[in-house]
Amino acid sequence: MLTYPMEERGSLPLYEYLCRCIRSDILSGALPAGARLPSKRALAEHLHVSVITVESAYSQLEAEGYLQALPRRGFFVAAVEQTPPAVRGTAPLPAPEVPMWRLDLSRNQVDTARFPVSTWVKLTRQVLSEEPEALLSPVPHQGLPALRQAIAADLRDFRGMAVSPEQIVIGAGAEYLYLLLAQLLGRDTVFAVEDPGYPKIRQVYGALGAACVPVPLDSQGVDPDILTASGAGALHISPNHQYPTGLVTPITRRQALLRWAEDAEGTIIEDDYDSEFRFTGRPIPTLQSIDLRGRVVYLNTFSQTISPSMRLGFLVLPPRLLERYRRELGFYACTVPALEQHVLARFISGGHYERHLSRMRKEYRNRRAEVVEAFRSSALAPRVTFSEERAGLHFLLRLDTVRSDAELYQLAARMGVRLGFLSEYAAVPKPEFAHTLVINYAGLSPQRLPEAIRLLSEVLLPLL
């Protein structure tokens, strides 16, 4: 007779607890294959439970394949491979501890405190009340039509891009869109990337098995001659505000790169990262807007303009690649939730997005000026040199020191300060990249700025 402590079932239903006990005995070998189980009535009387409880447990185990029911004979243990006993000490590893930095200047962050949350909540309520059925309907694989229309109108009005909503593909952030492009262009395509440049671009393409060739930058960006010699079939660049150098590619170089794409039958991926925050003059026209041969793929996200948690970006595909995308990758479902797309569509089309951008441009322009002035007025001023591009949410600060970047990082980290160096963004290290900090200032509020400068001076001055 099977005996189990039924009072130890906790919150589990009786039949489920009994089912677990019998299953465990079968897997451990305590109940060998071919063993006959007690009748339902006999086991129910022995355990002081109802016959229905035992019958439910037997039926579940039969459905899972642990028991076999033979007519007029009862239930027998099936031939099941036994599970070896658990090895002690194999508990899952704990999550890695996240350091608590007194000051973190390496992480690219934005000021989310000024986002119009009340407006977003209001639009969310509108969508939930007005379009409940649409939220439960499948989203087209390229994304919600209303959102693609809103993005196309925004690109037309503020970036001078004449694109159709049908050219837009919505995806869950930049990394996902990189994955799509690697598949769309083919893993045998050689991807040229800026050096120094955003490391994740190399990492994503490399993880898919695509060849990735770093191309060094000169004062105008990517050199077309070096690009041609690399044998690349695709070029991934940020011509409007290169990260992390801040370079802006001038029109003559852009035209040369477009000629390269046409001659090599290649593709240029224009990653328009951080270009919304230009603080002097009008926004620089995109490379896509002067592309007459359909060689440029435009890519952008809302991670910098709204929040890093907004995992939503988009591609603008030229017609020749749009046709291939629909033919070869059209089976992919859209990776962004319907609710988020509906709300963002209203946020953009209602003018809230552009008003938010306008406010944040003013805020970041003032904050950038305050941070730069704080550095220039500090004790660090004689030992640092600025690279001031007056755009984006970061700037470069070159240190007058003979210590290596690794040594500077370790010494600062011991004091709770996390630094980011230009050399970390380089695929091919060069001496001119050393001793240059990438200062991401957007997360430095005016209230924290004096403390941050004091702490940074306290850390760096003894090292310079």
Side-chain angles (χ1 to χ4, degrees):
M1 186 60 66
L2 305 178
T3 302
Y4 302 115
M6 302 302 288
E7 67 277 3
E8 297 181 5
R9 66 187 177 92
S11 60
L12 289 175
L14 282 169
Y15 88 92
E16 186 173 340
Y17 178 73
L18 178 58
C19 188
R20 290 189 180 189
C21 292
I22 298 174
R23 186 191 297 115
S24 177
D25 280 351
I26 293 174
L27 291 174
S28 68
L31 285 173
R36 181 180 179 182
L37 268 63
S39 70
K40 291 179 283 188
R41 186 173 298 279
L43 184 57
E45 291 178 356
H46 178 68
L47 297 177
H48 303 291
V49 297
S50 67
V51 175
I52 293 178
T53 296
V54 178
E55 183 177 11
S56 298
Y58 280 7
S59 297
Q60 179 64 31
L61 290 168
E62 182 187 10
E64 294 178 10
Y66 291 97
L67 299 181
Q68 291 179 333
L70 299 180
R72 299 183 181 181
R73 295 186 59 192
F75 289 88
F76 294 81
V77 176
V80 177
E81 184 176 341
Q82 294 180 11
T83 302
V87 180
R88 291 184 179 181
T90 58
L93 292 175
E97 186 176 348
V98 179
M100 297 298 293
W101 300 101
R102 297 167 66 192
L103 177 63
D104 186 355
L105 294 175
S106 70
R107 190 162 59 95
N108 206 352
Q109 52 190 328
V110 298
D111 185 356
T112 56
R114 296 180 181 275
F115 182 74
V117 175
S118 59
T119 300
W120 190 268
V121 170
K122 178 183 177 181
L123 295 175
T124 301
R125 288 174 176 165
Q126 289 179 2
V127 171
L128 290 172
S129 63
E130 297 173 10
E131 303 183 76
E133 295 182 1
L135 295 177
L136 302 178
S137 302
V139 176
H141 67 94
Q142 286 187 221
L144 191 72
L147 178 56
R148 289 187 279 123
Q149 291 168 5
I151 291 174
D154 186 75
L155 292 175
R156 180 192 65 238
D157 294 341
F158 300 102
R159 302 311 306 274
M161 296 170 57
V163 303
S164 164
E166 294 304 316
Q167 293 177 252
I168 295 175
V169 176
I170 305 295
E175 290 90 347
Y176 172 76
L177 296 175
Y178 298 162
L179 291 171
L180 278 186
L181 288 171
Q183 295 178 64
L184 181 62
L185 298 178
R187 288 183 173 84
D188 56 344
T189 298
V190 177
F191 287 81
V193 295
E194 299 166 316
D195 190 25
Y198 187 46
K200 275 193 179 181
I201 298 171
R202 301 193 300 267
Q203 292 169 352
V204 172
Y205 290 147
L208 282 173
C212 215
V213 178
V215 179
L217 302 176
D218 61 19
S219 61
Q220 296 186 335
V222 171
D223 187 324
D225 293 333
I226 299 178
L227 176 61
T228 300
S230 72
L235 170 63
H236 193 128
I237 58 172
S238 296
N240 287 342
H241 186 249
Q242 202 273 339
Y243 189 84
T245 67
L247 283 172
V248 177
T249 303
I251 183 61
T252 53
R253 180 61 60 87
R254 294 176 185 232
Q255 292 170 336
L257 292 175
L258 288 174
R259 284 195 300 273
W260 165 83
E262 186 174 356
D263 294 342
E265 296 185 351
T267 300
I268 297 177
I269 301 165
E270 181 180 14
D271 197 337
D272 207 18
Y273 174 83
D274 215 13
S275 65
E276 292 85 0
F277 297 113
R278 180 169 175 78
F279 306 129
T280 57
R282 293 188 56 78
I284 297 175
T286 64
L287 187 61
Q288 191 274 348
S289 65
I290 62 171
D291 173 29
L292 303 178
R293 304 293 184 182
R295 289 292 170 182
V296 176
V297 174
Y298 180 85
L299 184 154
N300 208 340
T301 73
F302 295 92
S303 61
Q304 291 290 90
T305 55
I306 294 182
S307 167
S309 63
M310 173 68 76
R311 304 308 302 163
L312 196 156
F314 61 93
L315 299 173
V316 177
L317 297 176
R320 66 182 182 87
L321 288 180
L322 177 62
E323 181 183 352
R324 186 192 304 179
Y325 171 83
R326 289 175 172 172
R327 183 177 65 250
E328 299 179 6
L329 302 180
F331 60 89
Y332 277 129
C334 185
T335 51
V336 181
L339 176 59
E340 197 167 279
Q341 293 193 55
H342 277 281
V343 176
L344 182 57
R346 294 190 179 209
F347 190 71
I348 296 173
S349 60
H352 308 290
Y353 178 62
E354 188 55 36
R355 286 192 290 273
H356 170 62
L357 274 183
S358 180
R359 288 192 298 268
M360 295 313 296
R361 287 190 194 100
K362 181 178 179 181
E363 170 64 26
Y364 287 139
R365 180 172 58 247
N366 294 338
R367 186 172 303 187
R368 184 186 190 91
E370 291 174 358
V371 171
V372 170
E373 180 57 31
F375 271 105
R376 288 176 172 160
S377 303
S378 72
L380 287 170
R383 307 297 299 274
V384 299
T385 305
F386 288 89
S387 176
E388 241 281 85
E389 297 296 337
R390 301 189 181 278
L393 303 184
H394 76 283
F395 58 82
L396 301 183
L397 193 70
R398 185 169 180 82
L399 306 176
D400 181 11
T401 179
V402 295
R403 296 179 184 267
S404 70
D405 288 355
E407 187 179 6
L408 289 169
Y409 180 89
Q410 292 297 333
L411 292 171
R414 291 175 191 170
M415 299 184 67
V417 176
R418 187 184 185 190
L419 301 177
F421 292 86
L422 180 61
S423 56
E424 298 174 26
Y425 296 85
V428 180
K430 290 185 177 181
E432 57 264 35
F433 296 158
H435 312 147
T436 301
L437 294 178
V438 180
I439 303 292
N440 292 284
Y441 69 88
L444 286 177
S445 64
Q447 294 76 20
R448 291 193 58 217
L449 182 57
E451 178 191 359
I453 296 296
R454 179 193 60 77
L455 182 57
L456 195 59
S457 300
E458 178 185 331
V459 170
L460 288 180
L461 278 176
L463 306 179
L464 300 180

